Amino acid sequence: MNADILVIGGGLHGLSAALQSARRGASVTLVERHFLGRHASGATAAGVRTLGRHPAELPLSLEAAGDWHRMSELVGDDCGFVACGQLQVAEDEAALSAVKARVERLQAKGFTHERMVEPDELRTLVPDLSAHCLGGAWAIADGSADPHRTIRAFRDAALAAGVRMTEQCKVTALTRRSDFWRAETSQGSIEAKVVVNAGGAWAAEVAALAGDPLHHAIRTSMMVVTERTVARIGPVVSSLGRKLSFKQTAQGTLLIGGGSQGKLAADRQSATVDVVALASSVKAAVRLFPTVGGLRIVRTWAGMEAMTEDHLPVIGFSRRVEGLVHAFGFSGHGFQLVPSVGRVLADLVCEGRTKHDLAAFDTNRVAAERAAA
Ligand SMILES: Cc1cc2nc3c(=O)[nH]c(=O)nc-3n(C[C@H](O)[C@H](O)[C@H](O)COP(=O)(O)OP(=O)(O)OC[C@H]3O[C@@H](n4cnc5c(N)ncnc54)[C@H](O)[C@@H]3O)c2cc1C
């Protein structure tokens, strides 16, 4: 036996699961077919957001929020996390009613991480915001981090905890023997008791190798970086009902994203920028912040990630195959969840259970035969 646990996928979820399992004494091997962070985890906007989360994700998200504020304790670095707050603005009456209803629902259940802000406070928080915004929801403890520093910190902590990592190593076959897995890879075979499928946009391919056919779509979210400008925007700003998320980095560049989709290659192995769709995101950003209208765009990219129909991730044991745990389908908002999901995965692989209720993330939702029906 080479390892207790084989983690397939060297994005942040694979790294976090590997790190937290190794810290509990498991021997862990992680394989990544490109290089660590090559896909969603390296392409992310790295927003650390509890704001507007689906209620089913809130327990994991609020736990992760605490982790982000103490990130150095977990990985020896703050990962560039800045608690600059996240603001979701309402640009019309319908959006304002929807934001108010959500905040009231949360408060009725005792959640206090979001509160409403009136137009005057909006202008204090973000002076350059267009006058047409009617109010919004504010999550003061949210913020954003540096994705590459986060990948480095999780990698270094995982190596220090004894995780064996191999890059340029693709898993091509998985066979269940009596009570262990044998994985064939582009760099030889590996035997392990448990496999963690953290394969991101290719999680369904990994699941199929293990005899657990699952279905998910692929998101190809795009990002834009502008030239540097005078620092003016503190929080991360989004707009309800629009594909827009907007922030200013410490260097003064603006980072615009929010879910506009690029073009997926026919073989589903890569994605490229769709300039027309991107233009609508940029237009939405300029409507919100008219003062940024003349800035030059210096870089754009598209990142790939698995997306489920209900936009909730798949986290938990396979319902069909023994010794297989899935963690994918974060549908564009998995960065913030990295510390808590890694802890849950370590619970599952090391102890066979977790205190978290994973019903909303059940694998059965994405069973291939359901998708085909
Ligand atoms: C443009 C963009 C912006 C985003 N913004 C935010 C945000 O602001 N806030 C937020 O919370 N989330 C955000 N997200 C989502 C977040 O980045 C992802 O949910 C998260 O990074 C997913 O991490 P992962 O480890 O599951 O996947 P990935 O990082 O994609 O890792 C999966 C890895 O598995 C590897 N792999 C696949 N198959 C195999 C195989 N057979 N053998 C070996 N390796 C294999 C792949 O090469 C890949 O590196 C964004 C995503 C994108 C793309």
Side-chain angles (χ1 to χ4, degrees):
M1 194 69 56
N2 301 119
D4 294 325
I5 298 156
L6 170 62
V7 177
I8 303 176
L12 279 166
H13 283 290
L15 286 168
S16 182
L19 162 66
Q20 300 195 64
S21 303
R23 288 238 175 102
R24 295 189 201 183
S27 67
V28 185
T29 295
L30 178 147
V31 293
E32 163 55 49
R33 71 171 178 169
H34 297 295
F35 51 86
L36 300 177
R38 161 68 181 83
H39 285 288
S41 300
T44 182
V48 175
R49 173 179 66 78
T50 58
L51 182 76
R53 284 265 166 197
H54 189 290
E57 278 184 357
L58 266 185
L60 281 174
S61 183
L62 290 171
E63 182 176 311
D67 289 318
W68 280 103
H69 282 260
R70 301 183 299 274
M71 194 49 105
S72 297
E73 290 172 24
L74 184 62
V75 292
D77 185 67
D78 67 12
C79 297
F81 171 66
V82 181
C84 54
Q86 291 225 6
L87 180 68
Q88 183 184 53
V89 300
E91 295 188 58
D92 55 38
E93 289 293 345
L96 188 62
S97 308
V99 173
K100 267 188 186 150
R102 185 185 73 231
V103 174
E104 279 167 14
R105 266 195 315 273
L106 285 172
Q107 289 178 347
K109 288 184 180 160
F111 292 111
T112 54
H113 58 285
E114 288 192 30
R115 69 168 174 84
M116 286 303 292
V117 287
E118 301 297 327
D120 280 357
E121 193 179 357
L122 267 191
R123 305 304 159 236
T124 312
L125 287 169
V126 196
D128 283 350
L129 198 62
S130 164
H132 77 276
C133 295
L134 302 176
W138 173 232
I140 195 170
D142 281 355
S144 68
D146 175 335
H148 301 288
R149 229 170 112 175
T150 308
I151 293 163
R152 207 163 46 236
F154 273 81
R155 177 203 61 192
D156 291 351
L159 286 171
V163 175
R164 277 167 294 177
M165 282 181 212
T166 314
E167 295 175 289
Q168 304 294 334
C169 179
K170 179 179 178 181
V171 173
T172 53
L174 284 167
T175 313
R176 184 78 183 159
R177 300 283 164 89
S178 54
D179 60 350
F180 65 93
W181 288 98
R182 187 179 167 89
E184 303 304 334
T185 80
S186 49
Q187 296 196 39
S189 54
I190 300 168
E191 289 177 353
K193 290 180 199 151
V194 180
V195 163
V196 175
N197 172 14
W202 299 273
E205 289 178 18
V206 173
L209 293 179
D212 188 13
L214 302 177
H215 170 81
H216 60 71
I218 297 180
R219 272 176 83 85
T220 53
S221 302
M222 296 185 287
M223 300 293 307
V224 170
V225 180
T226 70
E227 63 184 321
R228 291 176 191 204
T229 180
V230 182
R232 280 190 295 232
I233 298 157
V236 180
V237 183
S238 58
S239 172
L240 186 79
R242 313 218 187 259
K243 289 184 174 151
L244 177 66
S245 151
F246 190 97
K247 73 175 175 194
Q248 188 159 30
T249 65
Q251 296 75 33
T253 59
L254 301 177
L255 200 59
I256 304 169
S260 274
Q261 299 294 289
K263 291 182 184 157
L264 185 62
D267 63 1
R268 296 163 74 88
Q269 298 301 307
S270 62
T272 50
V273 166
D274 177 337
V275 179
V276 175
L278 199 62
S280 77
S281 266
V282 173
K283 216 165 138 189
V286 175
R287 193 176 50 244
L288 221 50
F289 295 100
T291 51
V292 307
L295 289 177
R296 279 174 298 185
I297 287 171
V298 294
R299 199 156 78 88
T300 64
W301 69 88
M304 295 173 68
E305 142 154 79
M307 178 173 73
T308 62
E309 248 173 61
D310 56 17
H311 290 201
L312 291 174
V314 177
I315 306 169
F317 284 110
S318 161
R319 294 295 198 130
R320 266 189 282 235
V321 185
E322 215 188 314
L324 176 63
V325 175
H326 297 293
F328 64 88
F330 293 94
S331 305
H333 46 263
F335 180 80
Q336 191 263 357
L337 300 173
V338 160
S340 58
V341 170
R343 189 173 300 116
V344 164
L345 295 172
D347 289 344
L348 295 179
V349 296
C350 298
E351 282 139 44
R353 63 194 149 87
T354 177
K355 68 175 186 247
H356 279 278
D357 178 1
L358 300 181
F361 314 126
D362 198 288
T363 324
N364 268 347
R365 293 155 41 237
V366 296
E369 60 273 19
R370 272 179 73 108

